[in-house]
Amino acid sequence: MSQPSRSAKPATSVRSIKVSNMTGGKWNLDLWPSEGKYFRPVVRDGAGAIVGVGNPTWLLRTTPGHGIPAARKLPT
């Protein structure tokens, strides 16, 4: 089996939110999944050190033709 290409880099974007802009410890973010994307929050302190992370969440507009793997699907 051949090795996957390591040249492809994921498209990423970063959004910084100041604590003073949060309401009640929360901040809403609108995401448009298009064909699908992952969202993963990373929390940094004032010095830029990572102090918290969230698990990646897979956002889908529609169910893919091959379905969603059971390990990635929320129970209904």
Side-chain angles (χ1 to χ4, degrees):
M1 181 187 308
S2 65
Q3 291 288 328
S5 170
R6 304 236 184 244
S7 63
K9 293 187 179 186
T12 60
S13 60
V14 175
R15 180 147 320 150
S16 298
I17 292 76
K18 293 182 179 184
V19 172
S20 60
N21 291 341
M22 299 175 77
T23 303
K26 298 179 181 179
W27 188 76
N28 292 325
L29 173 65
D30 292 326
L31 297 174
W32 304 102
S34 60
E35 296 300 315
K37 66 175 62 169
Y38 287 91
F39 168 73
R40 180 179 179 182
V42 176
V43 180
R44 296 179 184 266
D45 65 13
I50 295 174
V51 295
V53 297
N55 289 331
T57 301
W58 190 17
L59 304 176
L60 298 169
R61 183 170 289 202
T62 60
T63 302
H66 54 74
I68 300 172
R72 303 223 181 271
K73 188 174 183 180
L74 290 174
T76 56

